[in-house]
């Protein structure tokens, strides 16, 4: 499989490809002269140039059925480029002009966006006079074990 991947990428060395970075503010096209030399970090840097305010750690592309595939490493990037190369070859066989490779940046949420209700976790050890008793404090030990067992059952069945 790796040999097939390398063969596909070697064919891409002879021509540049266009990567379209899709953002909420619009699209940005970037030309890549030698796709087989492109690294995941290089592409993340290009995305950060387009979206300097966001923390981007990954991006997605759409496969042939429209499913979004997340790319987080060089290996996944090479798989994406191989898929794109095959798509371009099919488009050319059918007499179509190749479409740019469209990627969708995945911006991480800032701490303010994650904690929309302002919740805080008490990390101090020992009893605290300012807190309400938790379920573990008020339930007898047997009841807590039963509750944990029910939770495990729910999680393994995937039903709530």
């Amino acid at each position: 499989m790796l040999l097939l991947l390398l063969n596909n990428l070697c064919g891409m060395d002879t021509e540049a490809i266009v990567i379209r970075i899709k953002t909420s503010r619009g699209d940005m096209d970037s030309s890549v002269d030698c796709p087989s030399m492109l690294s995941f970090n290089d592409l993340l840097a290009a995305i950060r140039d387009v979206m300097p305010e966001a923390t981007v750690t990954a991006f997605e592309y759409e496969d042939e059925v429209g499913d979004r595939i997340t790319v987080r490493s060089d290996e996944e990037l090479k798989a994406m480029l191989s898929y794109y190369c095959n798509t371009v070859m099919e488009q050319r066989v059918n007499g179509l002009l190749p479409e740019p490779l469209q990627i969708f940046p995945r911006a991480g949420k800032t701490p303010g966006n994650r904690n929309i209700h302002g919740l805080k976790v008490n990390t101090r050890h020992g009893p605290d006079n300012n807190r309400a008793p938790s379920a573990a404090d008020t339930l007898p030990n047997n009841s807590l074990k039963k509750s944990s067992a029910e939770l495990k059952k729910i999680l393994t069945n995937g039903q709530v």
Side-chain angles (χ1 to χ4, degrees), residues 1-2 5 9 38-40 43 57-61 69-84 101 103 106:
M1 177 156 167
L2 182 59
L5 177 66
L9 291 177
L38 182 66
S39 75
F40 176 73
L43 195 46
T57 57
F59 56 88
E60 298 173 329
Y61 68 98
I69 310 298
T70 303
V71 176
R72 294 186 183 96
S73 67
D74 284 325
E75 292 79 23
E76 293 171 340
L77 173 72
K78 298 300 181 200
M80 177 190 74
L81 292 173
S82 177
Y83 162 76
Y84 178 69
L101 172 58
I103 62 171
R106 290 190 57 190

